[in-house]
Amino acid sequence: MTKLNESEILEQLEDIKGWEYNEGALETTFEFKNFKETFAIMTRIAFECEAQNHHPEWSNVYKTLTIRLNTHDAGGVTIKDFKLAKTIEEIIESD
Ligand SMILES: C[C@H](O)[C@H](O)[C@H]1CNC2=NC(N)=NC(=O)C2=N1
């Protein structure tokens, strides 16, 4: 898996609104209704991460969820990160 360069990353980012390239990772923050809803979404995302064998750096404070995606094995952002970011968007939009 080869890491993408910055212009490739910025080009791919045009397809997923709300995400940005920050300090070597794709990053976004979501705000939900309350903690229960946030944690339920995190659980659904976690199953999909397992299925893709690709895992986020994330943090949750009450109803705020921050997600950072990069590919440790490649030392940067790869197409796997974009695939997972799009999946996360689908999960949240289907809610
Ligand atoms: C052995 C296993 O396939 C690897 O450690 C996978 C698991 N999940 C991963 N997740 C992320 N975000 N980056 C990786 O490089 C990665 N590698």
mmCIF file of all heavy atoms in Angstrom, residues 7-45:
data_model
loop_
_atom_site.group_PDB
_atom_site.id
_atom_site.type_symbol
_atom_site.label_atom_id
_atom_site.label_comp_id
_atom_site.label_asym_id
_atom_site.label_seq_id
_atom_site.Cartn_x
_atom_site.Cartn_y
_atom_site.Cartn_z
ATOM 1 N N SER A 7 -0.912 16.395 -2.813
ATOM 2 C CA SER A 7 -1.881 16.845 -3.822
ATOM 3 C C SER A 7 -2.885 15.749 -4.151
ATOM 4 O O SER A 7 -4.059 16.026 -4.406
ATOM 5 C CB SER A 7 -1.179 17.376 -5.073
ATOM 6 O OG SER A 7 -0.530 16.347 -5.760
ATOM 7 N N GLU A 8 -2.458 14.485 -4.102
ATOM 8 C CA GLU A 8 -3.411 13.374 -4.287
ATOM 9 C C GLU A 8 -4.434 13.350 -3.155
ATOM 10 O O GLU A 8 -5.629 13.097 -3.373
ATOM 11 C CB GLU A 8 -2.664 12.034 -4.345
ATOM 12 C CG GLU A 8 -1.845 11.853 -5.606
ATOM 13 C CD GLU A 8 -0.880 10.664 -5.538
ATOM 14 O OE1 GLU A 8 -0.365 10.340 -4.449
ATOM 15 O OE2 GLU A 8 -0.636 10.063 -6.592
ATOM 16 N N ILE A 9 -3.964 13.606 -1.949
ATOM 17 C CA ILE A 9 -4.869 13.613 -0.786
ATOM 18 C C ILE A 9 -5.896 14.731 -0.926
ATOM 19 O O ILE A 9 -7.098 14.510 -0.744
ATOM 20 C CB ILE A 9 -4.052 13.778 0.518
ATOM 21 C CG1 ILE A 9 -3.221 12.517 0.779
ATOM 22 C CG2 ILE A 9 -4.968 14.068 1.711
ATOM 23 C CD1 ILE A 9 -2.149 12.674 1.841
ATOM 24 N N LEU A 10 -5.427 15.928 -1.284
ATOM 25 C CA LEU A 10 -6.350 17.058 -1.405
ATOM 26 C C LEU A 10 -7.358 16.828 -2.517
ATOM 27 O O LEU A 10 -8.535 17.194 -2.401
ATOM 28 C CB LEU A 10 -5.566 18.359 -1.623
ATOM 29 C CG LEU A 10 -4.652 18.757 -0.443
ATOM 30 C CD1 LEU A 10 -3.871 20.022 -0.767
ATOM 31 C CD2 LEU A 10 -5.443 18.923 0.845
ATOM 32 N N GLU A 11 -6.933 16.172 -3.579
ATOM 33 C CA GLU A 11 -7.847 15.863 -4.684
ATOM 34 C C GLU A 11 -8.930 14.878 -4.228
ATOM 35 O O GLU A 11 -10.115 15.074 -4.471
ATOM 36 C CB GLU A 11 -7.037 15.280 -5.838
ATOM 37 C CG GLU A 11 -7.786 15.196 -7.153
ATOM 38 C CD GLU A 11 -6.962 14.466 -8.208
ATOM 39 O OE1 GLU A 11 -5.748 14.742 -8.314
ATOM 40 O OE2 GLU A 11 -7.537 13.593 -8.897
ATOM 41 N N GLN A 12 -8.504 13.820 -3.540
ATOM 42 C CA GLN A 12 -9.468 12.824 -3.033
ATOM 43 C C GLN A 12 -10.433 13.425 -2.011
ATOM 44 O O GLN A 12 -11.582 13.008 -1.908
ATOM 45 C CB GLN A 12 -8.724 11.663 -2.357
ATOM 46 C CG GLN A 12 -7.940 10.773 -3.286
ATOM 47 C CD GLN A 12 -8.806 9.718 -3.948
ATOM 48 O OE1 GLN A 12 -9.825 9.299 -3.380
ATOM 49 N NE2 GLN A 12 -8.428 9.287 -5.126
ATOM 50 N N LEU A 13 -9.937 14.408 -1.252
ATOM 51 C CA LEU A 13 -10.767 15.017 -0.208
ATOM 52 C C LEU A 13 -11.952 15.777 -0.781
ATOM 53 O O LEU A 13 -12.938 15.995 -0.074
ATOM 54 C CB LEU A 13 -9.918 15.965 0.646
ATOM 55 C CG LEU A 13 -9.212 15.332 1.839
ATOM 56 C CD1 LEU A 13 -8.273 16.343 2.476
ATOM 57 C CD2 LEU A 13 -10.190 14.798 2.869
ATOM 58 N N GLU A 14 -11.865 16.159 -2.059
ATOM 59 C CA GLU A 14 -12.995 16.867 -2.672
ATOM 60 C C GLU A 14 -14.244 15.998 -2.708
ATOM 61 O O GLU A 14 -15.359 16.506 -2.788
ATOM 62 C CB GLU A 14 -12.615 17.330 -4.082
ATOM 63 C CG GLU A 14 -11.619 18.483 -4.046
ATOM 64 C CD GLU A 14 -11.062 18.830 -5.428
ATOM 65 O OE1 GLU A 14 -11.678 18.421 -6.426
ATOM 66 O OE2 GLU A 14 -10.012 19.489 -5.477
ATOM 67 N N ASP A 15 -14.067 14.686 -2.644
ATOM 68 C CA ASP A 15 -15.205 13.749 -2.684
ATOM 69 C C ASP A 15 -15.885 13.544 -1.333
ATOM 70 O O ASP A 15 -16.951 12.942 -1.276
ATOM 71 C CB ASP A 15 -14.749 12.366 -3.169
ATOM 72 C CG ASP A 15 -14.383 12.377 -4.634
ATOM 73 O OD1 ASP A 15 -14.734 13.352 -5.327
ATOM 74 O OD2 ASP A 15 -13.752 11.409 -5.083
ATOM 75 N N ILE A 16 -15.229 13.917 -0.250
ATOM 76 C CA ILE A 16 -15.857 13.705 1.066
ATOM 77 C C ILE A 16 -15.850 14.993 1.871
ATOM 78 O O ILE A 16 -14.842 15.403 2.411
ATOM 79 C CB ILE A 16 -15.194 12.561 1.888
ATOM 80 C CG1 ILE A 16 -13.687 12.506 1.651
ATOM 81 C CG2 ILE A 16 -15.842 11.227 1.612
ATOM 82 C CD1 ILE A 16 -13.012 11.560 2.616
ATOM 83 N N LYS A 17 -17.014 15.570 1.933
ATOM 84 C CA LYS A 17 -17.099 16.857 2.624
ATOM 85 C C LYS A 17 -16.984 16.656 4.144
ATOM 86 O O LYS A 17 -17.361 15.630 4.678
ATOM 87 C CB LYS A 17 -18.398 17.579 2.267
ATOM 88 C CG LYS A 17 -19.667 16.811 2.588
ATOM 89 C CD LYS A 17 -20.914 17.671 2.410
ATOM 90 C CE LYS A 17 -22.204 16.881 2.492
ATOM 91 N NZ LYS A 17 -22.320 15.864 3.522
ATOM 92 N N GLY A 18 -16.429 17.665 4.774
ATOM 93 C CA GLY A 18 -16.326 17.635 6.229
ATOM 94 C C GLY A 18 -15.036 17.030 6.755
ATOM 95 O O GLY A 18 -14.783 17.060 7.950
ATOM 96 N N TRP A 19 -14.223 16.480 5.856
ATOM 97 C CA TRP A 19 -12.950 15.902 6.277
ATOM 98 C C TRP A 19 -11.820 16.812 5.808
ATOM 99 O O TRP A 19 -11.927 17.473 4.782
ATOM 100 C CB TRP A 19 -12.757 14.506 5.666
ATOM 101 C CG TRP A 19 -13.672 13.464 6.223
ATOM 102 C CD1 TRP A 19 -15.005 13.340 5.983
ATOM 103 C CD2 TRP A 19 -13.326 12.396 7.121
ATOM 104 N NE1 TRP A 19 -15.507 12.258 6.665
ATOM 105 C CE2 TRP A 19 -14.502 11.660 7.369
ATOM 106 C CE3 TRP A 19 -12.127 11.993 7.735
ATOM 107 C CZ2 TRP A 19 -14.517 10.540 8.211
ATOM 108 C CZ3 TRP A 19 -12.149 10.873 8.569
ATOM 109 C CH2 TRP A 19 -13.334 10.165 8.801
ATOM 110 N N GLU A 20 -10.745 16.835 6.604
ATOM 111 C CA GLU A 20 -9.580 17.606 6.180
ATOM 112 C C GLU A 20 -8.303 16.821 6.424
ATOM 113 O O GLU A 20 -8.314 15.816 7.157
ATOM 114 C CB GLU A 20 -9.535 18.960 6.894
ATOM 115 C CG GLU A 20 -9.471 18.854 8.406
ATOM 116 C CD GLU A 20 -9.414 20.222 9.081
ATOM 117 O OE1 GLU A 20 -9.930 21.192 8.495
ATOM 118 O OE2 GLU A 20 -8.863 20.297 10.190
ATOM 119 N N TYR A 21 -7.254 17.271 5.791
ATOM 120 C CA TYR A 21 -5.939 16.654 5.984
ATOM 121 C C TYR A 21 -5.224 17.451 7.057
ATOM 122 O O TYR A 21 -4.987 18.651 6.889
ATOM 123 C CB TYR A 21 -5.173 16.679 4.667
ATOM 124 C CG TYR A 21 -3.803 16.066 4.723
ATOM 125 C CD1 TYR A 21 -3.611 14.778 5.212
ATOM 126 C CD2 TYR A 21 -2.690 16.768 4.273
ATOM 127 C CE1 TYR A 21 -2.347 14.207 5.256
ATOM 128 C CE2 TYR A 21 -1.425 16.204 4.297
ATOM 129 C CZ TYR A 21 -1.270 14.918 4.808
ATOM 130 O OH TYR A 21 -0.015 14.357 4.851
ATOM 131 N N ASN A 22 -4.940 16.814 8.165
ATOM 132 C CA ASN A 22 -4.340 17.537 9.284
ATOM 133 C C ASN A 22 -3.286 16.674 9.963
ATOM 134 O O ASN A 22 -3.587 15.560 10.417
ATOM 135 C CB ASN A 22 -5.453 17.924 10.281
ATOM 136 C CG ASN A 22 -4.954 18.867 11.354
ATOM 137 O OD1 ASN A 22 -3.964 19.579 11.155
ATOM 138 N ND2 ASN A 22 -5.613 18.872 12.497
ATOM 139 N N GLU A 23 -2.073 17.182 10.003
ATOM 140 C CA GLU A 23 -0.957 16.504 10.677
ATOM 141 C C GLU A 23 -0.853 15.028 10.299
ATOM 142 O O GLU A 23 -0.814 14.141 11.158
ATOM 143 C CB GLU A 23 -1.057 16.681 12.193
ATOM 144 C CG GLU A 23 -0.841 18.127 12.609
ATOM 145 C CD GLU A 23 -0.860 18.350 14.125
ATOM 146 O OE1 GLU A 23 -0.795 17.352 14.867
ATOM 147 O OE2 GLU A 23 -0.943 19.506 14.530
ATOM 148 N N GLY A 24 -0.849 14.774 8.998
ATOM 149 C CA GLY A 24 -0.588 13.428 8.509
ATOM 150 C C GLY A 24 -1.749 12.461 8.525
ATOM 151 O O GLY A 24 -1.556 11.255 8.346
ATOM 152 N N ALA A 25 -2.951 12.968 8.739
ATOM 153 C CA ALA A 25 -4.114 12.069 8.757
ATOM 154 C C ALA A 25 -5.349 12.780 8.213
ATOM 155 O O ALA A 25 -5.418 14.015 8.207
ATOM 156 C CB ALA A 25 -4.390 11.594 10.184
ATOM 157 N N LEU A 26 -6.325 11.987 7.779
ATOM 158 C CA LEU A 26 -7.642 12.521 7.445
ATOM 159 C C LEU A 26 -8.372 12.703 8.763
ATOM 160 O O LEU A 26 -8.362 11.795 9.604
ATOM 161 C CB LEU A 26 -8.422 11.538 6.563
ATOM 162 C CG LEU A 26 -7.745 11.072 5.280
ATOM 163 C CD1 LEU A 26 -8.705 10.182 4.490
ATOM 164 C CD2 LEU A 26 -7.274 12.254 4.442
ATOM 165 N N GLU A 27 -8.996 13.842 8.927
ATOM 166 C CA GLU A 27 -9.584 14.140 10.238
ATOM 167 C C GLU A 27 -10.956 14.772 10.102
ATOM 168 O O GLU A 27 -11.200 15.560 9.188
ATOM 169 C CB GLU A 27 -8.645 15.095 10.973
ATOM 170 C CG GLU A 27 -8.990 15.285 12.430
ATOM 171 C CD GLU A 27 -7.961 16.165 13.130
ATOM 172 O OE1 GLU A 27 -6.804 15.749 13.276
ATOM 173 O OE2 GLU A 27 -8.330 17.274 13.500
ATOM 174 N N THR A 28 -11.831 14.410 11.018
ATOM 175 C CA THR A 28 -13.134 15.067 11.084
ATOM 176 C C THR A 28 -13.655 15.012 12.507
ATOM 177 O O THR A 28 -13.196 14.211 13.333
ATOM 178 C CB THR A 28 -14.154 14.423 10.124
ATOM 179 O OG1 THR A 28 -15.249 15.308 9.919
ATOM 180 C CG2 THR A 28 -14.679 13.096 10.651
ATOM 181 N N THR A 29 -14.632 15.865 12.779
ATOM 182 C CA THR A 29 -15.299 15.846 14.086
ATOM 183 C C THR A 29 -16.800 15.846 13.863
ATOM 184 O O THR A 29 -17.308 16.606 13.034
ATOM 185 C CB THR A 29 -14.893 17.080 14.920
ATOM 186 O OG1 THR A 29 -13.490 17.017 15.159
ATOM 187 C CG2 THR A 29 -15.610 17.117 16.253
ATOM 188 N N PHE A 30 -17.492 14.957 14.560
ATOM 189 C CA PHE A 30 -18.952 14.901 14.497
ATOM 190 C C PHE A 30 -19.531 15.252 15.857
ATOM 191 O O PHE A 30 -18.927 14.967 16.889
ATOM 192 C CB PHE A 30 -19.434 13.468 14.164
ATOM 193 C CG PHE A 30 -19.017 12.970 12.815
ATOM 194 C CD1 PHE A 30 -18.043 11.996 12.705
ATOM 195 C CD2 PHE A 30 -19.611 13.457 11.655
ATOM 196 C CE1 PHE A 30 -17.661 11.512 11.459
ATOM 197 C CE2 PHE A 30 -19.234 12.970 10.406
ATOM 198 C CZ PHE A 30 -18.265 11.995 10.311
ATOM 199 N N GLU A 31 -20.721 15.814 15.803
ATOM 200 C CA GLU A 31 -21.449 16.088 17.040
ATOM 201 C C GLU A 31 -22.800 15.393 16.933
ATOM 202 O O GLU A 31 -23.526 15.574 15.952
ATOM 203 C CB GLU A 31 -21.635 17.602 17.180
ATOM 204 C CG GLU A 31 -22.264 18.011 18.462
ATOM 205 C CD GLU A 31 -21.320 18.864 19.317
ATOM 206 O OE1 GLU A 31 -20.132 18.962 18.991
ATOM 207 O OE2 GLU A 31 -21.808 19.407 20.300
ATOM 208 N N PHE A 32 -23.140 14.604 17.929
ATOM 209 C CA PHE A 32 -24.415 13.882 17.916
ATOM 210 C C PHE A 32 -25.341 14.442 18.999
ATOM 211 O O PHE A 32 -25.023 15.441 19.633
ATOM 212 C CB PHE A 32 -24.171 12.380 18.096
ATOM 213 C CG PHE A 32 -23.330 11.802 16.984
ATOM 214 C CD1 PHE A 32 -21.964 11.600 17.167
ATOM 215 C CD2 PHE A 32 -23.876 11.519 15.746
ATOM 216 C CE1 PHE A 32 -21.170 11.088 16.144
ATOM 217 C CE2 PHE A 32 -23.092 11.015 14.710
ATOM 218 C CZ PHE A 32 -21.739 10.801 14.916
ATOM 219 N N LYS A 33 -26.474 13.732 19.185
ATOM 220 C CA LYS A 33 -27.489 14.253 20.097
ATOM 221 C C LYS A 33 -27.058 14.121 21.563
ATOM 222 O O LYS A 33 -27.268 15.011 22.368
ATOM 223 C CB LYS A 33 -28.807 13.497 19.860
ATOM 224 C CG LYS A 33 -30.057 14.283 20.149
ATOM 225 C CD LYS A 33 -31.300 13.540 19.667
ATOM 226 C CE LYS A 33 -31.520 12.269 20.490
ATOM 227 N NZ LYS A 33 -32.385 11.286 19.814
ATOM 228 N N ASN A 34 -26.485 12.979 21.861
ATOM 229 C CA ASN A 34 -26.093 12.717 23.248
ATOM 230 C C ASN A 34 -25.043 11.595 23.263
ATOM 231 O O ASN A 34 -24.666 11.083 22.197
ATOM 232 C CB ASN A 34 -27.327 12.317 24.090
ATOM 233 C CG ASN A 34 -28.114 11.193 23.427
ATOM 234 O OD1 ASN A 34 -27.525 10.263 22.861
ATOM 235 N ND2 ASN A 34 -29.430 11.270 23.459
ATOM 236 N N PHE A 35 -24.614 11.207 24.415
ATOM 237 C CA PHE A 35 -23.558 10.192 24.527
ATOM 238 C C PHE A 35 -24.010 8.831 24.000
ATOM 239 O O PHE A 35 -23.254 8.132 23.308
ATOM 240 C CB PHE A 35 -23.126 10.050 25.994
ATOM 241 C CG PHE A 35 -22.109 8.968 26.195
ATOM 242 C CD1 PHE A 35 -20.798 9.140 25.766
ATOM 243 C CD2 PHE A 35 -22.462 7.766 26.801
ATOM 244 C CE1 PHE A 35 -19.857 8.134 25.934
ATOM 245 C CE2 PHE A 35 -21.532 6.758 26.978
ATOM 246 C CZ PHE A 35 -20.222 6.945 26.542
ATOM 247 N N LYS A 36 -25.247 8.477 24.296
ATOM 248 C CA LYS A 36 -25.744 7.159 23.882
ATOM 249 C C LYS A 36 -25.735 7.010 22.362
ATOM 250 O O LYS A 36 -25.301 5.983 21.823
ATOM 251 C CB LYS A 36 -27.163 6.970 24.436
ATOM 252 C CG LYS A 36 -27.730 5.589 24.260
ATOM 253 C CD LYS A 36 -29.097 5.516 24.918
ATOM 254 C CE LYS A 36 -29.812 4.247 24.521
ATOM 255 N NZ LYS A 36 -31.178 4.217 25.069
ATOM 256 N N GLU A 37 -26.210 8.054 21.697
ATOM 257 C CA GLU A 37 -26.226 8.019 20.235
ATOM 258 C C GLU A 37 -24.794 7.978 19.675
ATOM 259 O O GLU A 37 -24.499 7.256 18.720
ATOM 260 C CB GLU A 37 -26.967 9.262 19.710
ATOM 261 C CG GLU A 37 -27.186 9.224 18.212
ATOM 262 C CD GLU A 37 -27.961 10.426 17.702
ATOM 263 O OE1 GLU A 37 -29.109 10.610 18.145
ATOM 264 O OE2 GLU A 37 -27.414 11.178 16.887
ATOM 265 N N THR A 38 -23.925 8.739 20.294
ATOM 266 C CA THR A 38 -22.528 8.776 19.846
ATOM 267 C C THR A 38 -21.888 7.399 19.974
ATOM 268 O O THR A 38 -21.247 6.894 19.044
ATOM 269 C CB THR A 38 -21.733 9.804 20.679
ATOM 270 O OG1 THR A 38 -22.420 11.049 20.645
ATOM 271 C CG2 THR A 38 -20.325 9.983 20.132
ATOM 272 N N PHE A 39 -22.102 6.784 21.129
ATOM 273 C CA PHE A 39 -21.463 5.487 21.351
ATOM 274 C C PHE A 39 -22.069 4.403 20.461
ATOM 275 O O PHE A 39 -21.373 3.489 20.000
ATOM 276 C CB PHE A 39 -21.529 5.084 22.831
ATOM 277 C CG PHE A 39 -20.450 4.119 23.191
ATOM 278 C CD1 PHE A 39 -19.158 4.566 23.453
ATOM 279 C CD2 PHE A 39 -20.695 2.756 23.216
ATOM 280 C CE1 PHE A 39 -18.144 3.666 23.755
ATOM 281 C CE2 PHE A 39 -19.685 1.855 23.515
ATOM 282 C CZ PHE A 39 -18.411 2.315 23.788
ATOM 283 N N ALA A 40 -23.356 4.513 20.177
ATOM 284 C CA ALA A 40 -23.999 3.550 19.263
ATOM 285 C C ALA A 40 -23.379 3.646 17.870
ATOM 286 O O ALA A 40 -23.074 2.629 17.230
ATOM 287 C CB ALA A 40 -25.503 3.803 19.208
ATOM 288 N N ILE A 41 -23.170 4.859 17.407
ATOM 289 C CA ILE A 41 -22.530 5.070 16.090
ATOM 290 C C ILE A 41 -21.105 4.521 16.114
ATOM 291 O O ILE A 41 -20.647 3.876 15.160
ATOM 292 C CB ILE A 41 -22.532 6.581 15.728
ATOM 293 C CG1 ILE A 41 -23.934 7.051 15.357
ATOM 294 C CG2 ILE A 41 -21.548 6.863 14.608
ATOM 295 C CD1 ILE A 41 -24.344 6.769 13.912
ATOM 296 N N MET A 42 -20.393 4.769 17.192
ATOM 297 C CA MET A 42 -19.017 4.269 17.300
ATOM 298 C C MET A 42 -18.982 2.746 17.204
ATOM 299 O O MET A 42 -18.073 2.170 16.599
ATOM 300 C CB MET A 42 -18.373 4.731 18.612
ATOM 301 C CG MET A 42 -18.074 6.220 18.639
ATOM 302 S SD MET A 42 -17.475 6.792 20.247
ATOM 303 C CE MET A 42 -15.785 6.170 20.205
ATOM 304 N N THR A 43 -19.989 2.114 17.797
ATOM 305 C CA THR A 43 -20.055 0.650 17.738
ATOM 306 C C THR A 43 -20.256 0.177 16.305
ATOM 307 O O THR A 43 -19.579 -0.750 15.841
ATOM 308 C CB THR A 43 -21.206 0.135 18.636
ATOM 309 O OG1 THR A 43 -20.984 0.629 19.948
ATOM 310 C CG2 THR A 43 -21.252 -1.381 18.646
ATOM 311 N N ARG A 44 -21.145 0.851 15.584
ATOM 312 C CA ARG A 44 -21.374 0.471 14.188
ATOM 313 C C ARG A 44 -20.126 0.701 13.350
ATOM 314 O O ARG A 44 -19.771 -0.126 12.504
ATOM 315 C CB ARG A 44 -22.569 1.248 13.619
ATOM 316 C CG ARG A 44 -23.879 0.810 14.268
ATOM 317 C CD ARG A 44 -25.035 1.680 13.842
ATOM 318 N NE ARG A 44 -25.268 1.594 12.404
ATOM 319 C CZ ARG A 44 -26.039 2.444 11.718
ATOM 320 N NH1 ARG A 44 -26.622 3.428 12.338
ATOM 321 N NH2 ARG A 44 -26.210 2.281 10.434
ATOM 322 N N ILE A 45 -19.456 1.801 13.602
ATOM 323 C CA ILE A 45 -18.210 2.080 12.866
ATOM 324 C C ILE A 45 -17.158 1.022 13.204
ATOM 325 O O ILE A 45 -16.438 0.539 12.317
ATOM 326 C CB ILE A 45 -17.692 3.505 13.190
ATOM 327 C CG1 ILE A 45 -18.646 4.554 12.639
ATOM 328 C CG2 ILE A 45 -16.287 3.702 12.627
ATOM 329 C CD1 ILE A 45 -18.332 5.989 13.096
#
